[in-house]
Amino acid sequence: MTATTLIIGAKGKTGRRVESLLQAKGISTRGVSRSSSPAFDWLKPDTWLEAMQGCESAYVTYQPDLAVPAAKQHIAEFIVQAKKAGIKHLVLLSGRGEQGAEQAEQQLINSGLKWNVVRASWFSQNFSEGFLIESVLAGQVALPAADVLEPFVDVDDIAEVAVACLTKPALGNTLFEVTGPELLTLRDCVTQVAQAQNKPIEFIEISVSQFVEALKKQGMPADMLWLMKELFGSVMDGRNSHLCKGVEQALGRKPKSFSSYAAEAHAAGAWQV
């Protein structure tokens, strides 16, 4: 029987890419989410074991983010159930500079299972597949922390690192901190997205409280509001303003630049109305 890899969050930015790459290699996958059958819901631990049955490894993304207070306990319980199901290897997506995420990572590192942590910087794809796409399409992006430097990473690179972890035994029990190849501000990113489209996009710097209030008026859920306040109010303070070599270490090549991402996203029609 072919070993099956469980994909937690198979509809997410990284999950669907990881699943596609594994399938292209001929590896059996089981992508699960709240709407899949069997279903997987982080808030309903009684759904987890059925989703895990028959899988030997798993790629794990936590919703909404490992930084949230509930994540540490959920990951600990997930590990207990994964052992019961016979899963031997977990690859966990994490975030840089987040205390809560690092506590969740330690649950895995100390679990006795084969493990990998892929600790990622901010996703480039937030501008084309995430919470910023509507602002980009509207031609006006209003954000706090406008001039904090961040090494934005392409989600395709994250997925390739995760797949390498899942398919190359020599990479096991290693934390890969993945970033892009250069430091950019949010203002820089908006400029490059505008250049890729040959279309003006206005950037407006606002406070964290103004940003969170605007998201609240748009109907963003409370857990995401907490996360945005945490990310922009605490994590985007310069603590992550340095490059890491995780992509090179796992893949033997340089990570994709933000300008390359923006050009590819535009070519693929990411910002077509």
Side-chain angles (χ1 to χ4, degrees), residues 28-56:
S28 174
T29 63
R30 180 184 301 153
V32 295
S33 64
R34 285 178 294 183
S35 60
S36 64
S37 182
F40 183 96
D41 188 334
W42 280 111
L43 299 180
K44 297 178 181 178
D46 59 345
T47 67
W48 301 354
L49 196 57
E50 182 182 1
M52 295 174 178
Q53 293 298 328
C55 296
E56 292 190 7

PDB file of all heavy atoms in Angstrom, residues 28-56:
ATOM      1  N   SER A  28       0.496   9.610  -2.600  1.00  0.00           N
ATOM      2  CA  SER A  28      -0.906   9.654  -2.197  1.00  0.00           C
ATOM      3  C   SER A  28      -1.109  10.712  -1.106  1.00  0.00           C
ATOM      4  O   SER A  28      -0.311  10.805  -0.160  1.00  0.00           O
ATOM      5  CB  SER A  28      -1.331   8.281  -1.665  1.00  0.00           C
ATOM      6  OG  SER A  28      -2.641   8.327  -1.137  1.00  0.00           O
ATOM      7  N   THR A  29      -2.168  11.497  -1.246  1.00  0.00           N
ATOM      8  CA  THR A  29      -2.453  12.547  -0.262  1.00  0.00           C
ATOM      9  C   THR A  29      -3.907  12.458   0.195  1.00  0.00           C
ATOM     10  O   THR A  29      -4.770  11.933  -0.505  1.00  0.00           O
ATOM     11  CB  THR A  29      -2.216  13.951  -0.839  1.00  0.00           C
ATOM     12  OG1 THR A  29      -3.128  14.169  -1.928  1.00  0.00           O
ATOM     13  CG2 THR A  29      -0.787  14.125  -1.330  1.00  0.00           C
ATOM     14  N   ARG A  30      -4.145  13.008   1.378  1.00  0.00           N
ATOM     15  CA  ARG A  30      -5.511  13.207   1.852  1.00  0.00           C
ATOM     16  C   ARG A  30      -5.615  14.645   2.347  1.00  0.00           C
ATOM     17  O   ARG A  30      -5.120  14.985   3.417  1.00  0.00           O
ATOM     18  CB  ARG A  30      -5.877  12.246   2.980  1.00  0.00           C
ATOM     19  CG  ARG A  30      -7.331  12.455   3.499  1.00  0.00           C
ATOM     20  CD  ARG A  30      -7.650  11.569   4.671  1.00  0.00           C
ATOM     21  NE  ARG A  30      -7.484  10.173   4.279  1.00  0.00           N
ATOM     22  CZ  ARG A  30      -7.185   9.195   5.134  1.00  0.00           C
ATOM     23  NH1 ARG A  30      -7.004   9.465   6.409  1.00  0.00           N
ATOM     24  NH2 ARG A  30      -7.058   7.960   4.693  1.00  0.00           N
ATOM     25  N   GLY A  31      -6.224  15.493   1.541  1.00  0.00           N
ATOM     26  CA  GLY A  31      -6.388  16.880   1.909  1.00  0.00           C
ATOM     27  C   GLY A  31      -7.663  17.075   2.708  1.00  0.00           C
ATOM     28  O   GLY A  31      -8.738  16.679   2.258  1.00  0.00           O
ATOM     29  N   VAL A  32      -7.544  17.673   3.900  1.00  0.00           N
ATOM     30  CA  VAL A  32      -8.718  17.836   4.754  1.00  0.00           C
ATOM     31  C   VAL A  32      -8.881  19.295   5.193  1.00  0.00           C
ATOM     32  O   VAL A  32      -7.921  20.057   5.279  1.00  0.00           O
ATOM     33  CB  VAL A  32      -8.658  16.926   6.000  1.00  0.00           C
ATOM     34  CG1 VAL A  32      -8.709  15.461   5.590  1.00  0.00           C
ATOM     35  CG2 VAL A  32      -7.416  17.198   6.839  1.00  0.00           C
ATOM     36  N   SER A  33     -10.132  19.639   5.460  1.00  0.00           N
ATOM     37  CA  SER A  33     -10.501  20.966   5.943  1.00  0.00           C
ATOM     38  C   SER A  33     -11.850  20.821   6.641  1.00  0.00           C
ATOM     39  O   SER A  33     -12.376  19.708   6.771  1.00  0.00           O
ATOM     40  CB  SER A  33     -10.606  21.950   4.775  1.00  0.00           C
ATOM     41  OG  SER A  33     -11.665  21.562   3.906  1.00  0.00           O
ATOM     42  N   ARG A  34     -12.429  21.929   7.055  1.00  0.00           N
ATOM     43  CA  ARG A  34     -13.734  21.857   7.725  1.00  0.00           C
ATOM     44  C   ARG A  34     -14.825  21.347   6.795  1.00  0.00           C
ATOM     45  O   ARG A  34     -15.815  20.779   7.243  1.00  0.00           O
ATOM     46  CB  ARG A  34     -14.115  23.235   8.272  1.00  0.00           C
ATOM     47  CG  ARG A  34     -13.345  23.630   9.517  1.00  0.00           C
ATOM     48  CD  ARG A  34     -13.691  25.006  10.007  1.00  0.00           C
ATOM     49  NE  ARG A  34     -13.273  26.037   9.065  1.00  0.00           N
ATOM     50  CZ  ARG A  34     -13.399  27.335   9.277  1.00  0.00           C
ATOM     51  NH1 ARG A  34     -13.944  27.780  10.407  1.00  0.00           N
ATOM     52  NH2 ARG A  34     -12.979  28.205   8.380  1.00  0.00           N
ATOM     53  N   SER A  35     -14.636  21.529   5.477  1.00  0.00           N
ATOM     54  CA  SER A  35     -15.677  21.138   4.528  1.00  0.00           C
ATOM     55  C   SER A  35     -15.382  19.829   3.802  1.00  0.00           C
ATOM     56  O   SER A  35     -16.136  19.409   2.932  1.00  0.00           O
ATOM     57  CB  SER A  35     -15.885  22.248   3.493  1.00  0.00           C
ATOM     58  OG  SER A  35     -14.682  22.493   2.774  1.00  0.00           O
ATOM     59  N   SER A  36     -14.272  19.157   4.158  1.00  0.00           N
ATOM     60  CA  SER A  36     -13.912  17.912   3.474  1.00  0.00           C
ATOM     61  C   SER A  36     -14.635  16.730   4.108  1.00  0.00           C
ATOM     62  O   SER A  36     -15.297  16.849   5.140  1.00  0.00           O
ATOM     63  CB  SER A  36     -12.397  17.696   3.545  1.00  0.00           C
ATOM     64  OG  SER A  36     -11.975  17.515   4.890  1.00  0.00           O
ATOM     65  N   SER A  37     -14.503  15.574   3.479  1.00  0.00           N
ATOM     66  CA  SER A  37     -15.046  14.337   4.043  1.00  0.00           C
ATOM     67  C   SER A  37     -13.949  13.269   3.986  1.00  0.00           C
ATOM     68  O   SER A  37     -13.574  12.845   2.888  1.00  0.00           O
ATOM     69  CB  SER A  37     -16.280  13.888   3.260  1.00  0.00           C
ATOM     70  OG  SER A  37     -16.828  12.719   3.825  1.00  0.00           O
ATOM     71  N   PRO A  38     -13.387  12.853   5.130  1.00  0.00           N
ATOM     72  CA  PRO A  38     -13.758  13.295   6.472  1.00  0.00           C
ATOM     73  C   PRO A  38     -13.361  14.754   6.724  1.00  0.00           C
ATOM     74  O   PRO A  38     -12.421  15.254   6.103  1.00  0.00           O
ATOM     75  CB  PRO A  38     -12.973  12.350   7.388  1.00  0.00           C
ATOM     76  CG  PRO A  38     -11.772  11.957   6.567  1.00  0.00           C
ATOM     77  CD  PRO A  38     -12.273  11.875   5.152  1.00  0.00           C
ATOM     78  N   ALA A  39     -14.083  15.386   7.628  1.00  0.00           N
ATOM     79  CA  ALA A  39     -13.817  16.787   7.948  1.00  0.00           C
ATOM     80  C   ALA A  39     -12.699  16.898   8.992  1.00  0.00           C
ATOM     81  O   ALA A  39     -12.442  15.955   9.746  1.00  0.00           O
ATOM     82  CB  ALA A  39     -15.077  17.455   8.472  1.00  0.00           C
ATOM     83  N   PHE A  40     -12.033  18.055   8.986  1.00  0.00           N
ATOM     84  CA  PHE A  40     -11.049  18.363  10.026  1.00  0.00           C
ATOM     85  C   PHE A  40     -11.267  19.798  10.462  1.00  0.00           C
ATOM     86  O   PHE A  40     -11.221  20.715   9.639  1.00  0.00           O
ATOM     87  CB  PHE A  40      -9.614  18.186   9.520  1.00  0.00           C
ATOM     88  CG  PHE A  40      -8.576  18.436  10.589  1.00  0.00           C
ATOM     89  CD1 PHE A  40      -8.041  17.376  11.299  1.00  0.00           C
ATOM     90  CD2 PHE A  40      -8.171  19.717  10.907  1.00  0.00           C
ATOM     91  CE1 PHE A  40      -7.102  17.598  12.305  1.00  0.00           C
ATOM     92  CE2 PHE A  40      -7.240  19.955  11.905  1.00  0.00           C
ATOM     93  CZ  PHE A  40      -6.713  18.890  12.605  1.00  0.00           C
ATOM     94  N   ASP A  41     -11.509  19.992  11.761  1.00  0.00           N
ATOM     95  CA  ASP A  41     -11.760  21.322  12.312  1.00  0.00           C
ATOM     96  C   ASP A  41     -10.923  21.463  13.573  1.00  0.00           C
ATOM     97  O   ASP A  41     -11.054  20.667  14.510  1.00  0.00           O
ATOM     98  CB  ASP A  41     -13.255  21.475  12.639  1.00  0.00           C
ATOM     99  CG  ASP A  41     -13.639  22.898  13.047  1.00  0.00           C
ATOM    100  OD1 ASP A  41     -12.766  23.632  13.552  1.00  0.00           O
ATOM    101  OD2 ASP A  41     -14.813  23.261  12.880  1.00  0.00           O
ATOM    102  N   TRP A  42     -10.034  22.465  13.595  1.00  0.00           N
ATOM    103  CA  TRP A  42      -9.177  22.660  14.771  1.00  0.00           C
ATOM    104  C   TRP A  42      -9.983  22.881  16.048  1.00  0.00           C
ATOM    105  O   TRP A  42      -9.489  22.595  17.142  1.00  0.00           O
ATOM    106  CB  TRP A  42      -8.228  23.837  14.540  1.00  0.00           C
ATOM    107  CG  TRP A  42      -7.039  23.489  13.706  1.00  0.00           C
ATOM    108  CD1 TRP A  42      -6.756  23.898  12.440  1.00  0.00           C
ATOM    109  CD2 TRP A  42      -5.941  22.641  14.090  1.00  0.00           C
ATOM    110  NE1 TRP A  42      -5.573  23.367  12.001  1.00  0.00           N
ATOM    111  CE2 TRP A  42      -5.042  22.594  12.988  1.00  0.00           C
ATOM    112  CE3 TRP A  42      -5.627  21.923  15.249  1.00  0.00           C
ATOM    113  CZ2 TRP A  42      -3.856  21.856  13.026  1.00  0.00           C
ATOM    114  CZ3 TRP A  42      -4.447  21.179  15.278  1.00  0.00           C
ATOM    115  CH2 TRP A  42      -3.586  21.148  14.189  1.00  0.00           C
ATOM    116  N   LEU A  43     -11.203  23.378  15.934  1.00  0.00           N
ATOM    117  CA  LEU A  43     -12.033  23.626  17.117  1.00  0.00           C
ATOM    118  C   LEU A  43     -12.853  22.402  17.527  1.00  0.00           C
ATOM    119  O   LEU A  43     -13.589  22.446  18.509  1.00  0.00           O
ATOM    120  CB  LEU A  43     -12.963  24.812  16.856  1.00  0.00           C
ATOM    121  CG  LEU A  43     -12.271  26.144  16.550  1.00  0.00           C
ATOM    122  CD1 LEU A  43     -13.287  27.239  16.319  1.00  0.00           C
ATOM    123  CD2 LEU A  43     -11.305  26.534  17.674  1.00  0.00           C
ATOM    124  N   LYS A  44     -12.714  21.299  16.780  1.00  0.00           N
ATOM    125  CA  LYS A  44     -13.458  20.072  17.083  1.00  0.00           C
ATOM    126  C   LYS A  44     -12.495  18.883  17.078  1.00  0.00           C
ATOM    127  O   LYS A  44     -12.397  18.141  16.098  1.00  0.00           O
ATOM    128  CB  LYS A  44     -14.579  19.861  16.053  1.00  0.00           C
ATOM    129  CG  LYS A  44     -15.624  20.960  16.055  1.00  0.00           C
ATOM    130  CD  LYS A  44     -16.680  20.736  14.976  1.00  0.00           C
ATOM    131  CE  LYS A  44     -17.720  21.851  14.970  1.00  0.00           C
ATOM    132  NZ  LYS A  44     -18.721  21.662  13.894  1.00  0.00           N
ATOM    133  N   PRO A  45     -11.771  18.685  18.189  1.00  0.00           N
ATOM    134  CA  PRO A  45     -10.766  17.612  18.239  1.00  0.00           C
ATOM    135  C   PRO A  45     -11.329  16.219  17.970  1.00  0.00           C
ATOM    136  O   PRO A  45     -10.567  15.331  17.564  1.00  0.00           O
ATOM    137  CB  PRO A  45     -10.221  17.717  19.669  1.00  0.00           C
ATOM    138  CG  PRO A  45     -10.430  19.158  20.045  1.00  0.00           C
ATOM    139  CD  PRO A  45     -11.732  19.541  19.394  1.00  0.00           C
ATOM    140  N   ASP A  46     -12.631  16.043  18.160  1.00  0.00           N
ATOM    141  CA  ASP A  46     -13.208  14.718  17.895  1.00  0.00           C
ATOM    142  C   ASP A  46     -13.264  14.405  16.403  1.00  0.00           C
ATOM    143  O   ASP A  46     -13.588  13.275  16.014  1.00  0.00           O
ATOM    144  CB  ASP A  46     -14.595  14.599  18.522  1.00  0.00           C
ATOM    145  CG  ASP A  46     -15.582  15.645  18.022  1.00  0.00           C
ATOM    146  OD1 ASP A  46     -15.150  16.643  17.412  1.00  0.00           O
ATOM    147  OD2 ASP A  46     -16.801  15.466  18.242  1.00  0.00           O
ATOM    148  N   THR A  47     -12.946  15.379  15.551  1.00  0.00           N
ATOM    149  CA  THR A  47     -12.905  15.133  14.100  1.00  0.00           C
ATOM    150  C   THR A  47     -11.524  14.690  13.630  1.00  0.00           C
ATOM    151  O   THR A  47     -11.378  14.231  12.492  1.00  0.00           O
ATOM    152  CB  THR A  47     -13.287  16.396  13.300  1.00  0.00           C
ATOM    153  OG1 THR A  47     -12.263  17.415  13.472  1.00  0.00           O
ATOM    154  CG2 THR A  47     -14.628  16.963  13.746  1.00  0.00           C
ATOM    155  N   TRP A  48     -10.510  14.813  14.483  1.00  0.00           N
ATOM    156  CA  TRP A  48      -9.140  14.676  14.016  1.00  0.00           C
ATOM    157  C   TRP A  48      -8.739  13.240  13.697  1.00  0.00           C
ATOM    158  O   TRP A  48      -8.121  12.969  12.663  1.00  0.00           O
ATOM    159  CB  TRP A  48      -8.159  15.243  15.040  1.00  0.00           C
ATOM    160  CG  TRP A  48      -8.369  16.685  15.370  1.00  0.00           C
ATOM    161  CD1 TRP A  48      -9.249  17.559  14.776  1.00  0.00           C
ATOM    162  CD2 TRP A  48      -7.693  17.414  16.389  1.00  0.00           C
ATOM    163  NE1 TRP A  48      -9.162  18.797  15.377  1.00  0.00           N
ATOM    164  CE2 TRP A  48      -8.213  18.737  16.370  1.00  0.00           C
ATOM    165  CE3 TRP A  48      -6.716  17.095  17.330  1.00  0.00           C
ATOM    166  CZ2 TRP A  48      -7.775  19.727  17.240  1.00  0.00           C
ATOM    167  CZ3 TRP A  48      -6.275  18.075  18.205  1.00  0.00           C
ATOM    168  CH2 TRP A  48      -6.799  19.380  18.151  1.00  0.00           C
ATOM    169  N   LEU A  49      -9.064  12.301  14.596  1.00  0.00           N
ATOM    170  CA  LEU A  49      -8.547  10.943  14.469  1.00  0.00           C
ATOM    171  C   LEU A  49      -9.025  10.271  13.185  1.00  0.00           C
ATOM    172  O   LEU A  49      -8.244   9.592  12.501  1.00  0.00           O
ATOM    173  CB  LEU A  49      -8.952  10.117  15.691  1.00  0.00           C
ATOM    174  CG  LEU A  49      -8.180   8.809  15.899  1.00  0.00           C
ATOM    175  CD1 LEU A  49      -6.683   9.064  16.002  1.00  0.00           C
ATOM    176  CD2 LEU A  49      -8.681   8.100  17.156  1.00  0.00           C
ATOM    177  N   GLU A  50     -10.290  10.458  12.840  1.00  0.00           N
ATOM    178  CA  GLU A  50     -10.806   9.857  11.609  1.00  0.00           C
ATOM    179  C   GLU A  50     -10.046  10.383  10.390  1.00  0.00           C
ATOM    180  O   GLU A  50      -9.714   9.628   9.472  1.00  0.00           O
ATOM    181  CB  GLU A  50     -12.298  10.142  11.438  1.00  0.00           C
ATOM    182  CG  GLU A  50     -12.891   9.499  10.190  1.00  0.00           C
ATOM    183  CD  GLU A  50     -14.359   9.811   9.974  1.00  0.00           C
ATOM    184  OE1 GLU A  50     -14.947  10.550  10.796  1.00  0.00           O
ATOM    185  OE2 GLU A  50     -14.925   9.326   8.970  1.00  0.00           O
ATOM    186  N   ALA A  51      -9.754  11.694  10.390  1.00  0.00           N
ATOM    187  CA  ALA A  51      -9.025  12.284   9.266  1.00  0.00           C
ATOM    188  C   ALA A  51      -7.605  11.725   9.146  1.00  0.00           C
ATOM    189  O   ALA A  51      -7.054  11.633   8.053  1.00  0.00           O
ATOM    190  CB  ALA A  51      -8.979  13.796   9.421  1.00  0.00           C
ATOM    191  N   MET A  52      -7.021  11.324  10.286  1.00  0.00           N
ATOM    192  CA  MET A  52      -5.638  10.853  10.310  1.00  0.00           C
ATOM    193  C   MET A  52      -5.476   9.394   9.899  1.00  0.00           C
ATOM    194  O   MET A  52      -4.377   8.983   9.508  1.00  0.00           O
ATOM    195  CB  MET A  52      -5.075  11.005  11.724  1.00  0.00           C
ATOM    196  CG  MET A  52      -4.943  12.417  12.226  1.00  0.00           C
ATOM    197  SD  MET A  52      -4.439  12.357  13.973  1.00  0.00           S
ATOM    198  CE  MET A  52      -4.289  14.107  14.347  1.00  0.00           C
ATOM    199  N   GLN A  53      -6.532   8.595  10.000  1.00  0.00           N
ATOM    200  CA  GLN A  53      -6.412   7.152   9.840  1.00  0.00           C
ATOM    201  C   GLN A  53      -5.786   6.776   8.491  1.00  0.00           C
ATOM    202  O   GLN A  53      -6.194   7.273   7.447  1.00  0.00           O
ATOM    203  CB  GLN A  53      -7.777   6.488   9.972  1.00  0.00           C
ATOM    204  CG  GLN A  53      -8.388   6.578  11.357  1.00  0.00           C
ATOM    205  CD  GLN A  53      -7.565   5.885  12.430  1.00  0.00           C
ATOM    206  OE1 GLN A  53      -6.903   4.882  12.161  1.00  0.00           O
ATOM    207  NE2 GLN A  53      -7.585   6.425  13.629  1.00  0.00           N
ATOM    208  N   GLY A  54      -4.779   5.904   8.543  1.00  0.00           N
ATOM    209  CA  GLY A  54      -4.152   5.413   7.327  1.00  0.00           C
ATOM    210  C   GLY A  54      -3.059   6.302   6.773  1.00  0.00           C
ATOM    211  O   GLY A  54      -2.491   5.994   5.721  1.00  0.00           O
ATOM    212  N   CYS A  55      -2.746   7.402   7.461  1.00  0.00           N
ATOM    213  CA  CYS A  55      -1.692   8.312   6.993  1.00  0.00           C
ATOM    214  C   CYS A  55      -0.396   8.071   7.769  1.00  0.00           C
ATOM    215  O   CYS A  55      -0.423   7.763   8.960  1.00  0.00           O
ATOM    216  CB  CYS A  55      -2.126   9.765   7.143  1.00  0.00           C
ATOM    217  SG  CYS A  55      -3.559  10.203   6.128  1.00  0.00           S
ATOM    218  N   GLU A  56       0.735   8.236   7.110  1.00  0.00           N
ATOM    219  CA  GLU A  56       2.031   8.027   7.746  1.00  0.00           C
ATOM    220  C   GLU A  56       2.777   9.327   8.006  1.00  0.00           C
ATOM    221  O   GLU A  56       3.717   9.360   8.795  1.00  0.00           O
ATOM    222  CB  GLU A  56       2.890   7.094   6.902  1.00  0.00           C
ATOM    223  CG  GLU A  56       2.362   5.667   6.852  1.00  0.00           C
ATOM    224  CD  GLU A  56       3.348   4.701   6.223  1.00  0.00           C
ATOM    225  OE1 GLU A  56       4.493   5.108   5.953  1.00  0.00           O
ATOM    226  OE2 GLU A  56       2.965   3.532   6.003  1.00  0.00           O
TER     227      GLU A  56
END
